[in-house]
Amino acid sequence: MSGRSNSVARLVSPRRFILTCDALSEDLPPDFVRIRIEFCGVCGTDRSFYLGHRDEGYPISLGHEHCGTIVAVGDQVTSYQVRDFVAIDPNYRCGCCLYCRTGAGHLCERATVSLYSNRGYANFIDIKASYILKLPEYRSRHLGALVEPLSVTINATDISKCALADESTLILGIGGIGTLLVFNLLETQDGEIWIYDNAPHKMASLKDLYPSRIKILDCADDRVFGVVFETTGSSDGFLHGCARLSKLGRLILVSRYHSDEPSIPDRLPWKQPNIYFVHLNGNGESFPKAAALLKRSWGPDFDRLLSFHALSDIDKVFAEYESLPANKKIISMK
């Protein structure tokens, strides 16, 4: 690998990415692998950094829905080899602390440990082998970029104990997570689902794929639901979810409110709801489930929900994010 360089998109201030050219290290730690990144999805968390809603210091490397091909392995790595196609679960789990031992590895006491060189908006990443999962042979490699966000929705579904055939269910927000949540629910259960988003074209794209199983909610309709998934990322979305919840209903918050933390509406306690917070993909068991579900159920027609953009255009993608028509945006390194 000597002499190779790595293009990395780094956010140097709110609303400003720059591409840097870093020299790849000639020495790979013994328990690391080097991956040539092929695709990386754009997540709402990345957007919150871009907009300046979160500041953990600059410059910062972003992108965590990535996949690619292993091009080098450390001396101690035995489970993976060069040319393996893998997805990366960016959540570190030590396996030893109280949270890891009790099945809550997403809350690991060492979760902030970052055993990698940079994140996914780059050509290469050096990363500890424990973060990665070998993927099946997909019809198209870009499906690997959907594994991590889909694993979050599988975790949300498990937490919700949602049963579409028995209870009315609404998903608020049809961005990347909301879209994959619909996909997971409808591909693994019978029944129908209601959806709502401020962008009609996003709802229409999903409705075209599931014409008899998706119903689009009209704001003038005052119906309530036993299960509401809130994925909008805004306090308005949270308030809408509270209003749509039936008595004893379940509100599953997949959103992470970075800029406008919502407050509980005064009358919500009267409904005696159950509110669940979804953080990341749980203990990680949903990660291989997501990889298998994509292999089994994501057909070519679903690709119309996606748009692909060059790494060199990343600043433009983030700046024009809301006006781009696709439900899910993916940065391609090819």
Side-chain angles (χ1 to χ4, degrees):
M1 304 297 293
S2 177
R4 276 197 176 182
S5 61
N6 186 19
S7 292
V8 182
R10 287 190 169 89
L11 191 69
V12 295
S13 64
R15 302 177 185 269
R16 183 169 177 243
F17 278 104
I18 64 168
L19 280 175
T20 63
C21 189
D22 303 346
L24 283 169
S25 172
E26 295 185 13
D27 299 316
L28 192 63
D31 53 351
F32 273 52
V33 299
R34 177 165 293 166
I35 299 169
R36 184 180 68 248
I37 299 172
E38 298 178 29
F39 298 95
C40 184
V42 177
C43 174
T45 300
D46 299 323
R47 277 273 294 167
S48 69
F49 278 107
Y50 176 79
L51 295 171
H53 297 159
R54 297 177 67 184
D55 180 358
E56 295 181 7
Y58 299 102
I60 186 170
S61 174
L62 298 177
H64 58 269
E65 300 176 353
H66 40 335
C67 64
T69 301
I70 294 177
V71 295
V73 298
D75 294 340
Q76 295 178 6
V77 176
T78 58
S79 299
Y80 303 97
Q81 57 188 0
V82 171
R83 290 187 292 278
D84 281 348
F85 181 52
V86 298
I88 298 162
D89 182 348
N91 307 304
Y92 181 79
R93 301 172 178 89
C94 72
C96 301
C97 71
L98 171 65
Y99 301 107
C100 285
R101 295 199 311 270
T102 55
H106 58 301
L107 301 176
C108 176
E109 290 179 350
R110 298 186 63 202
T112 57
V113 171
S114 301
L115 300 178
Y116 45 80
S117 57
N118 49 262
R119 286 189 175 263
Y121 299 141
N123 292 138
F124 295 93
I125 185 173
D126 291 349
I127 188 165
K128 188 177 173 66
S130 62
Y131 284 91
I132 65 177
L133 172 73
K134 184 176 179 178
L135 295 175
E137 196 65 40
Y138 289 136
R139 62 172 180 81
S140 181
R141 311 274 274 193
H142 67 257
L143 296 187
L146 301 179
V147 174
E148 193 278 337
L150 181 59
S151 74
V152 173
T153 72
I154 291 174
N155 183 45
T157 301
D158 291 345
I159 289 172
S160 74
K161 296 182 170 56
C162 176
L164 295 183
D166 300 326
E167 53 195 346
S168 57
T169 301
L170 169 67
I171 295 179
L172 292 174
I174 307 299
I177 289 292
T179 294
L180 291 171
L181 186 53
V182 171
F183 169 74
N184 175 53
L185 284 164
L186 294 185
E187 291 297 329
T188 58
Q189 296 189 36
D190 296 325
E192 65 182 25
I193 202 163
W194 289 77
I195 63 174
Y196 179 79
D197 193 278
N198 289 330
H201 67 274
K202 293 182 180 179
M203 296 188 289
S205 295
L206 273 175
K207 177 75 171 175
D208 287 345
L209 292 167
Y210 299 101
S212 64
R213 300 186 64 196
I214 285 180
K215 294 188 175 182
I216 295 176
L217 183 66
D218 188 322
C219 277
D221 189 334
D222 61 358
R223 74 181 63 232
V224 293
F225 299 85
V227 180
V228 177
F229 292 90
E230 200 287 286
T231 74
T232 67
S234 71
S235 60
D236 286 345
F238 172 78
L239 295 175
H240 190 186
C242 292
R244 291 293 181 176
L245 201 61
S246 66
K247 295 177 181 179
L248 296 180
R250 303 194 300 284
L251 177 61
I252 297 89
L253 301 177
V254 190
S255 289
R256 300 176 71 178
Y257 305 102
H258 299 300
S259 61
D260 55 348
E261 197 76 25
S263 57
I264 300 293
D266 289 342
R267 293 177 178 249
L268 181 64
W270 296 4
K271 296 181 179 181
Q272 200 172 322
N274 295 281
I275 301 178
Y276 300 88
F277 294 87
V278 176
H279 183 52
L280 308 177
N281 57 9
N283 201 38
E285 295 176 356
S286 59
F287 208 67
K289 291 180 182 177
L293 180 58
L294 288 164
K295 171 70 173 179
R296 184 170 68 247
S297 300
W298 190 280
D301 287 347
F302 288 88
D303 285 351
R304 72 182 69 167
L305 301 170
L306 312 175
S307 63
F308 300 90
H309 311 271
L311 181 62
S312 57
D313 292 332
I314 191 168
D315 219 14
K316 182 178 180 181
V317 172
F318 275 75
E320 300 177 2
Y321 183 86
E322 296 296 345
S323 63
L324 295 174
N327 294 36
K328 179 68 177 173
K329 291 81 171 173
I330 295 177
I331 302 297
S332 171
M333 313 309 158
K334 294 188 175 183

